[in-house]
Amino acid sequence: MAAMAAQQPSIPSGDGRSSSGEAKDESLPMPSRNPLPLSASQEAQVRELFNQRVRSLCSDEIQAFAACARNRTFTIPFKCRDLSHAMNGCMQRHATPAEHDRARELWFAQRQQRAREREKKERRKHEQEAFHREWWGLPQRDPEEVRRELEKLRGEERIGGLTRRPPGEGGEQGEGKR
C-alpha cells in the first residue's frame, strides 16, 4: 500500500516531455495522490483544464453538432437529435473521475510554468511603471520595496491550507491566546 502511494505517474508537460526524468523536465510531480484541497480559483483552473481535455477528445462530435445547428433555432432539437446524443454521450464517456485526476495532475505539473509566467508579468509591470515614472518626471519607488515585491513573487504557490511558520514565530500550540 505504501509503495503505491510513493509511485508518481509520468505526467506529460506542455512541451511533450514527461516528468519521469526524460529530457530534463522542470515540472514538479503531484505532491500525492490525495493532495491538500485547492482554493476555489485553483479548482476552477483544474476544471477548465478538465473541460478543455474533454472537449478536445470529443471535437469531432462537437463540430458535427455545431454544423447541424448552424442557421437553425427552433428546429435544432428535432433535426440534430442524433448528433446531440452522440456529442453528449462522448462527453459523458470522457468526463470521468480518472480524467479529472489527469487534469489535476497536469495542473500540478504546470506549477513552475505558471510561476515563471507570473514573475515575467510582474517584472514587465515594474519596467512599465519605471518608464512611466521616468517619462513624467515622477520620483522613483523605494528600491527596497521593489525588491520585497519581487522576492514575494519568487515564493512558491500556496496549495491548500496555511503556510508553515518557522519555529519561534508564535505559531506553535500552547503559545499565546487562541
Side-chain angles (χ1 to χ4, degrees), residues 2-9 30 32-33:
M4 287 176 53
Q7 292 177 352
Q8 292 293 328
M30 192 163 158
S32 73
R33 294 305 277 164

Side-chain angles (χ1 to χ4, degrees), residues 20 24 28 32 38 40 51-52 80-81 149 151 154 167-168:
S20 61
K24 272 182 86 173
L28 297 174
S32 73
L38 301 176
N51 291 337
Q52 203 173 45
C80 305
R81 179 170 289 156
E149 285 181 13
E151 279 181 10
R154 285 188 201 105

Side-chain angles (χ1 to χ4, degrees), residues 65 68-81:
F65 176 75
C68 176
R70 192 167 290 122
N71 297 326
R72 293 195 167 115
T73 55
F74 180 71
T75 59
I76 291 173
F78 309 110
K79 295 282 188 180
C80 305
R81 179 170 289 156

